[in-house]
């Protein structure tokens, strides 16, 4: 009997210690919130690869604290702005998270995100208006076209035949498979721009949904016509991201949390010794130029742990590569809990870090970011299986 009591007591102590350790780990977020400048209205939370479980949990906990203590109202995720806006509206009607998941990029459909959706739903039920939306100008999957179909019912500038053709071109533009190699993309893009301009010439937004529809059409025109100007076409996605963030800021005049890959959030891309990112990952540069000190970017990096095996992302993990002796991660390899670094407690300017993935890059750290969270013994997340997409895209009259 005493032996059983001893086992139960040992089990209770173990569970208590695990819970306490979890609480202590998340205390780094209390420090971040306490040190966040009062004027900040846009906070970027950047992950290395989109595939982290531990880092995702830390960001979700920080998001909650920013909402509770700093009155942030919008969570903008790296995904289709239009698709995620519509998915979130449907989710709020029936609490079915597959509406959001169907509109999300597959690599961001992580089990850890369920906690965020549940939290936001409950906050709204209690009267707090919190929004989940995307900020990427890309359209994604056929579900995107299904949502466009609904908005086209309010459009008088196109005939039914033109609406059908518009949807057909958008469907081609949203599908990337072997068939896409053989189609005439210039013709597809030209038609998308033509129909978008025609709608915009005679469209006045009346509802919140109308404003997102209008912004999406403007993104079509911007992305496609800009990609034909011969100047860094890859960077136009990042410019479109910044345009969408500006749209959200202007429309809602609210504090915004950006949940994205670190590559899109760099405050000064020239501060990274990497030619590709300097020329193409410029969303953060634009935010920094536009909003100055109101924009605050926090990066996350792993000191040790595991990563997904890219050849089998559903159930196979690999150990992270060894630390670079010149890296900031190497300097903090003996910490036993997460640490938040900024220019007040990490005096170096130049260092190496793998905050953008598994390879170390050289950077001028405090030109690129405002803060860096280092976490030991991280785990990757398993992707959810791909979900079915609607196939019936025909226009029907009410």
């Amino acid at each position: 009997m005493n032996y059983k009591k001893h086992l139960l007591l040992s089990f209770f102590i173990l569970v208590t210690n695990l819970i306490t350790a979890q609480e202590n780990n998340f205390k780094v977020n209390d420090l971040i919130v306490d040190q966040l400048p009062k004027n900040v209205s846009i906070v970027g939370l950047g992950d290395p690869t989109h595939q982290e479980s531990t880092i995702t949990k830390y960001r979700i906990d920080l998001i909650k604290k920013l909402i509770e203590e700093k009155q942030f109202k919008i969570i903008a995720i790296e995904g289709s702005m239009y698709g995620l806006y519509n998915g979130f509206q449907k989710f709020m009607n029936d609490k079915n998270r597959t509406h959001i998941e169907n509109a999300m990029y597959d690599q961001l459909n992580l089990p850890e995100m369920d906690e965020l959706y549940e939290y936001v739903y409950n906050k709204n039920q209690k009267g707090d208006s919190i929004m989940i939306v995307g900020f990427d100008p890309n359209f994604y999957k056929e579900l995107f076209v299904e949502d466009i179909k609904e908005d086209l019912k309010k459009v008088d500038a196109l005939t039914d035949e033109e609406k059908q053709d518009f949807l057909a071109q958008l469907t081609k533009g949203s599908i990337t498979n072997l068939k896409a190699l053989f189609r005439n993309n210039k013709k597809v893009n030209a038609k998308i721009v033509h129909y978008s301009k025609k709608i915009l010439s005679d469209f006045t937004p009346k509802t919140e949904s109308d404003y997102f529809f209008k912004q999406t059409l403007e993104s079509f025109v911007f992305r496609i016509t800009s990609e034909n100007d011969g100047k860094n076409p890859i960077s136009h996605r990042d410019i479109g991201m910044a345009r969408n963030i500006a749209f959200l800021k202007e429309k809602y005049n609210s504090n915004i949390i950006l949940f994205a890959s670190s590559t899109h959030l760099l405050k000064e891309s020239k501060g990274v010794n990497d030619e590709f990112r300097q020329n193409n990952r410029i969303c953060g540069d634009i935010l920094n130029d536009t909003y100055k000190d109101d924009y605050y970017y926090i990066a996350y990096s792993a000191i040790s742990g595991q990563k997904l095996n890219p050849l089998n992302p559903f159930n196979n993990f690999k150990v992270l590569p060894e630390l670079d002796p010149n890296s900031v991660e190497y300097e903090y390899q003996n910490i036993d809990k997460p640490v938040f670094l900024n220019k007040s407690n990490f005096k170096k300017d130049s260092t190496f870090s793998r905050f953008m993935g598994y390879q170390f890059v050289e950077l001028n750290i405090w030109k690129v970011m405002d803060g860096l969270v280092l976490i030991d013994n991280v785990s990757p997340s398993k992707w959810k299986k791909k979900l079915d997409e609607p196939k019936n895209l025909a226009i029907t009259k009410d």
Side-chain angles (χ1 to χ4, degrees):
M1 189 70 177
N2 290 335
Y3 176 71
K4 290 182 179 180
K5 286 183 177 179
H6 177 73
L7 284 178
L8 287 172
L9 179 61
S10 298
F11 176 75
F12 175 78
I13 293 173
L14 175 62
V15 171
T16 302
N17 288 339
L18 287 174
I19 293 173
T20 302
Q22 182 84 332
E23 290 175 347
N24 288 337
N25 283 345
F26 285 134
K27 285 186 177 180
V28 70
N29 289 332
D30 295 326
L31 179 65
I32 293 172
V33 172
D34 288 342
Q35 295 187 3
L36 190 70
K38 292 182 179 180
N39 57 285
V40 170
S41 62
I42 301 175
V43 171
L45 305 179
D47 63 59
T49 68
H50 286 327
Q51 299 169 3
E52 290 81 18
S53 172
T54 307
I55 288 174
T56 297
K57 290 176 181 177
Y58 273 91
R59 288 191 293 168
I60 289 174
D61 179 78
L62 180 55
I63 287 171
K64 292 179 182 179
K65 287 180 169 63
L66 289 172
I67 290 172
E68 300 290 344
E69 300 179 36
K70 297 292 183 177
Q71 292 74 54
F72 280 75
K73 299 293 185 181
I74 297 175
I75 306 164
I77 299 174
E78 183 185 336
S80 165
M81 186 181 75
Y82 180 80
L84 284 175
Y85 167 78
N86 282 291
F88 177 69
Q89 299 305 312
K90 296 171 188 174
F91 167 74
M92 288 307 303
N93 285 331
D94 61 14
K95 205 183 177 183
N96 184 347
R97 64 176 179 268
T98 60
H99 295 307
I100 297 177
E101 292 172 339
N102 279 330
M104 190 81 77
Y105 297 155
D106 289 331
Q107 62 267 42
L108 283 172
N109 270 328
L110 309 179
E112 292 77 13
M113 298 295 285
D114 293 350
E115 179 184 350
L116 179 63
Y117 306 150
E118 180 77 14
Y119 170 79
V120 172
Y121 181 87
N122 290 335
K123 290 293 290 183
N124 278 277
Q125 292 299 109
K126 294 176 181 178
D128 294 327
S129 181
I130 310 297
M131 173 186 287
I132 292 176
V133 68
F135 66 93
D136 197 330
N138 281 350
F139 48 98
Y140 184 62
K141 297 185 178 182
E142 293 178 21
L143 178 68
F144 181 96
V145 187
E146 183 74 9
D147 290 329
I148 290 283
K149 181 187 76 173
E150 291 301 312
D151 277 320
L152 284 180
K153 292 177 180 179
K154 299 177 285 187
V155 169
D156 297 324
L158 301 183
T159 65
D160 286 347
E161 290 74 20
E162 288 175 320
K163 291 177 182 180
Q164 292 281 8
D165 191 39
F166 189 26
L167 290 173
Q169 305 311 316
L170 288 173
T171 302
K172 292 177 183 178
S174 66
I175 296 175
T176 54
N177 54 30
L178 289 177
K179 291 182 180 180
L181 297 176
F182 302 101
R183 69 172 179 242
N184 187 336
N185 284 307
K186 288 186 178 180
K187 184 178 180 180
V188 170
N189 289 341
K191 284 193 171 184
I192 291 174
V193 170
H194 168 72
Y195 291 131
S196 296
K197 285 183 174 180
K198 195 169 182 179
I199 296 170
L200 288 168
S201 67
D202 188 41
F203 186 77
T204 302
K206 297 178 181 178
T207 65
E208 180 181 73
S209 176
D210 289 346
Y211 281 97
F212 278 87
F213 179 52
K214 180 175 181 286
Q215 179 70 12
T216 299
L217 296 176
E218 291 176 349
S219 290
F220 289 161
V221 175
F222 166 76
R223 279 295 307 278
I224 295 172
T225 55
S226 294
E227 286 176 358
N228 293 328
D229 66 11
K231 298 178 181 178
N232 295 328
I234 299 176
S235 69
H236 295 140
R237 179 190 174 203
D238 264 51
I239 298 172
M241 287 179 169
R243 286 164 56 98
N244 283 341
I245 294 166
F247 161 78
L248 292 171
K249 200 79 179 74
E250 181 179 351
K251 175 162 179 54
Y252 294 100
N253 191 28
S254 178
N255 292 347
I256 301 174
I257 300 166
L258 304 179
F259 188 98
S261 164
S262 274
T263 60
H264 299 293
L265 303 177
L266 314 175
K267 296 193 77 168
E268 185 177 321
S269 58
K270 298 294 184 185
V272 178
N273 187 15
D274 183 293
E275 185 176 348
F276 175 82
R277 292 183 177 90
Q278 289 177 359
N279 293 319
N280 299 298
R281 295 296 182 250
I282 58 175
C283 175
D285 290 77
I286 298 171
L287 297 178
N288 193 37
D289 290 342
T290 304
Y291 300 103
K292 309 298 181 185
D293 291 338
D294 288 355
Y295 174 53
Y296 193 90
Y297 161 46
I298 301 171
Y300 290 76
S301 187
I303 294 175
S304 65
Q306 294 180 313
K307 66 175 183 175
L308 284 181
N309 182 346
L311 299 178
N312 188 354
F314 289 100
N315 58 12
N316 197 352
F317 298 165
K318 298 179 69 174
V319 176
L320 284 171
E322 291 185 7
L323 296 175
D324 186 321
N326 298 311
S327 68
V328 61
E329 289 86 352
Y330 185 87
E331 293 192 41
Y332 287 86
Q333 62 182 306
N334 294 320
I335 63 170
D336 58 358
K337 58 184 178 181
V339 60
F340 175 61
L341 302 179
N342 53 35
K343 59 185 177 182
S344 68
N345 59 13
F346 185 75
K347 300 300 183 180
K348 289 185 179 180
D349 290 324
S350 296
T351 187
F352 285 76
S353 177
R354 60 179 173 201
F355 73 105
M356 291 190 291
Y358 305 131
Q359 294 184 337
F360 288 91
V361 294
E362 185 179 11
L363 73 154
N364 190 317
I365 186 168
W366 304 128
K367 286 186 177 180
V368 172
M369 63 185 70
D370 295 294
L372 175 65
V373 179
L374 298 178
I375 304 175
D376 189 33
N377 194 28
V378 302
S379 298
S381 181
K382 295 181 180 180
W383 293 1
K384 290 187 176 182
K385 292 182 179 180
K386 292 184 179 180
L387 301 162
D388 293 334
E389 303 166 25
K391 300 299 181 183
N392 181 16
L393 303 178
I395 286 283
T396 56
K397 294 183 179 180
D398 290 336

